[in-house]
Amino acid sequence: GRARNRVFAFEPVPAIYQVLERNLKDLPEMHPRPYGLAAVPSSSETFRFYADSPGESSRHLEESARQRAVMGQSEGGTLVTCKVDTLSAVMRREGIEEVQLLKIDVEGDELNVLMGIEKDLWPRIQQVVLEVADFDHRISRVQAILERHGFRCQVEAQRSEWDDGFLLLVPPTLRLHYLYAVRP
């Protein structure tokens, strides 16, 4: 028979995880996990949680402060201690034989997540989509890792646009991009 599709969602910040878990409770194919992904496991990573904008919460404190300044928001936020694990450990623990799509939106931690994938597990990953802020040559570094593991990459700058009557504002100074990676 056909293998059952499963979707795993990782959220290290407890307040955000509670919302994620509540939103997914009636969807049996969804599997929220109360930790983030990183290059090495840890039970004591510091994140800054923004109650007014949870999606900007990050373990990269300087980067999140810069982003909030560009958007005209005060730095604020609350420091929280969170758990992280490697994607390789998760794949082994959960018995994941194939990853059809790996979506990474981790507010500056893209390289850390990718470095948490052991060489023998890369062939199991079919496509990757990332949001990347291009500071410190991050896009070229991420792209090099993906290409080294056999992916063909395409990069697209995020731009402000109207969607259903709302302006999705993406200031160019944030240098946000989407990186799409597929196996040829």
Side-chain angles (χ1 to χ4, degrees), residues 58 60 63 105-112 131-133 138:
S58 175
H60 293 269
E63 188 168 322
D105 184 354
V106 290
E107 305 305 315
D109 242 359
E110 302 82 12
L111 290 165
N112 256 336
E131 180 186 69
V132 183
R138 197 176 294 150

Side-chain angles (χ1 to χ4, degrees), residues 119-183:
K119 185 177 180 179
D120 65 315
L121 295 180
W122 275 101
R124 296 184 188 184
I125 301 170
Q126 301 309 308
Q127 9 179 15
V128 182
V129 176
L130 303 99
E131 180 186 69
V132 183
D134 195 21
F135 294 101
D136 303 320
H137 308 286
R138 197 176 294 150
I139 287 179
S140 60
R141 293 164 65 201
V142 166
Q143 190 168 347
I145 290 171
L146 292 167
E147 288 175 350
R148 187 169 61 244
H149 290 288
F151 289 92
R152 188 184 52 206
C153 299
Q154 178 179 336
V155 177
E156 178 182 307
Q158 290 186 30
R159 291 176 171 59
S160 297
E161 61 180 287
W162 287 94
D163 184 21
D164 201 21
F166 293 94
L167 177 62
L168 303 174
L169 182 64
V170 182
T173 53
L174 293 180
R175 303 171 69 178
L176 292 173
H177 295 76
Y178 292 116
L179 192 152
Y180 304 96
V182 296
R183 297 228 176 254

